[in-house]
Each structure stands twice: as C-alpha cells, then as structure tokens.
Amino acid sequence: MRAPLRWVLWDVKDTLLKVRASVGEQYCKEAKRVGLNLNPVEVEAAFLKAYRHHSSRSPNYGISQGLDGRSWWIRVVRDTFSQCRVQDPALLNAMAHNLYYSFCDAENWEVFPDSKKTLESCSSLGLELGVVSNFDNRLKEILRVCGLLSHFSFLITSEKAGIAKPSPAIFEQALQICGVPAANIAHIGDHYLNDYLASRSVGLHGFLLDRDNKHKHPDLPAEHRLSSLEELPSQLQQHIN
C-alpha cells in the first residue's frame, strides 16, 4: 500500500522567487550611492569570479571554518569591488555591509507568478509545507517581506543546518522535523543534483522544476519534471489518497 503524502519541502531561490535585477546592476547601484561609476558587466564578471573562489575555498558560507553567512558575503562583495579597482577599505566595508542587508528588501526579489497560488493549493490539499534551501539566514526575512513566510511550518537553511544540499544530512534534518517517513514527503526544486537527485536519494518524492526546459537527463521521468509550479498540485494529489 502506497504511503500518502503529508509534507512538501521547497527550495526557494529560482523555485519560488528570483533576484529581480542582475548582481552587476545591483552592486553598481550601491556603488553609485557612494559616488562610484562602475560598469555592470565588469562587476558581474568580478562577482562570479569572487563567488566561485569563495565557494570553493569556503563552501556553505565557511561554516566549518568558523565563518557565518554575513562574514562570507562581506568577503565576496569586497573582493568583487576590489577587482574593479576600488581600494578604499572603508568604502569596501560600507558597500559590503549595505548590500548584505539590502538583499533583505522585497524590491530586490521577484516572486514567480505561480508561487503563491501553488503554495495555497498545496495547503488546501491538507499538506504541510517546509523549506530546505541552500541559503543563508536572511531567508526568513526575505520570505516574510515577499509575503511567503506564512505558508511554511519550518525553514532549514544550509547556514543554520551547517550542511548544504546535495548532502542527504540536510534532508535528514527535515525528516526529523516532519516526523513522518520519507515516503510521506515530496520535495520540489530547480536544481537537478541538489534538489531532484538528493531528495530522491533519501526516499522523498522529488520533483524537478524546469521553467526554461533546460534539463535533458535521460533518467528523469516526464512525470517528475515540471515546466511550471501550476503542474505540481495535480501530481501531488495522486500521492495523497
């Protein structure tokens, strides 16, 4: 007999919402506030280089090395602007601090049109909702200002958990909170490894959100791939009764 679904776990970034403008544009906007005129394309390239460097050297916000999300991001932002020939330490610190906190503002995020309706539909099916996200501890405030926080019973960020997807350990933390077997839980996200494969490796019903039709994996059944969140409730309903 098939176990009925009781919970749906959610990835957040690029699943429920996305950054509204490019990082280069947002960083240049902050630079302009302090009198600097920088090129968004150059800043974007510098950010990607800094982000990759720090992600490789200090994965998951450097938690295992004694860092936290804020200090990790401060380093990334400082390195980004340093590559763009900004050398004043006070200026670098000020911009890094301001950008870290400005990303908690709703104006910097765009909620996908299908997100709220799908969350409401899942709740109306009697399902409990939680978050499992590779994100820092600003996530709760971001979800609050974007009007999504009230849908969720709990949030697990990789910063808080001390471990990131695709490690099964972060999903195991969620299993403990849900208090039901993995077969009673679904997970939805946009990343093939971190969300789909990782969730299914611990026995969850994993679904891959593929808004841009970019995933061409031969081992991905059609019923596990969603082009829109609007397709999710009908898929979940098949596993409820």
Side-chain angles (χ1 to χ4, degrees), residues 156-167:
I156 296 178
T157 64
S158 59
E159 178 181 358
K160 181 179 179 181
I163 196 78
K165 298 180 292 188
S167 170

Side-chain angles (χ1 to χ4, degrees), residues 138-158:
R138 292 174 295 179
L139 185 59
K140 183 176 181 179
E141 177 62 12
I142 291 169
L143 288 171
R144 187 190 70 78
V145 299
C146 290
L148 299 179
L149 182 63
S150 62
H151 292 285
F152 301 107
S153 298
F154 70 87
L155 271 63
I156 296 178
T157 64
S158 59

Side-chain angles (χ1 to χ4, degrees), residues 187-206:
H187 176 76
I188 174 74
D190 71 299
H191 196 283
Y192 178 68
L193 172 60
N194 291 348
D195 293 307
Y196 180 71
L197 290 183
S199 65
R200 297 192 77 84
S201 75
V202 297
L204 305 183
H205 297 273

Side-chain angles (χ1 to χ4, degrees), residues 7-92:
W7 284 84
V8 183
L9 304 180
W10 295 80
D11 175 54
V12 174
K13 185 176 178 291
D14 298 325
T15 296
L16 293 170
L17 48 76
K18 65 178 180 178
V19 176
R20 189 178 296 277
S22 74
V23 171
E25 291 170 328
Q26 299 208 42
Y27 280 31
C28 283
K29 182 180 178 181
E30 175 59 29
K32 194 169 185 178
R33 287 181 65 251
V34 297
L36 299 175
N37 188 19
L38 301 178
N39 183 313
V41 175
E42 181 185 8
V43 174
E44 181 87 17
F47 166 77
L48 291 173
K49 183 178 179 180
Y51 182 86
R52 284 193 292 263
H53 170 73
H54 286 280
S55 294
S56 175
R57 189 175 73 173
S58 306
N60 193 31
Y61 312 112
I63 302 301
S64 64
Q65 302 166 11
L67 298 176
D68 59 15
R70 181 182 177 278
S71 58
W72 189 90
W73 276 113
I74 294 293
R75 294 182 181 194
V76 171
V77 176
R78 284 176 54 92
D79 283 2
T80 298
F81 284 120
S82 293
Q83 292 178 57
C84 299
R85 299 167 300 285
V86 180
Q87 302 300 329
D88 185 337
L91 213 53
L92 290 170

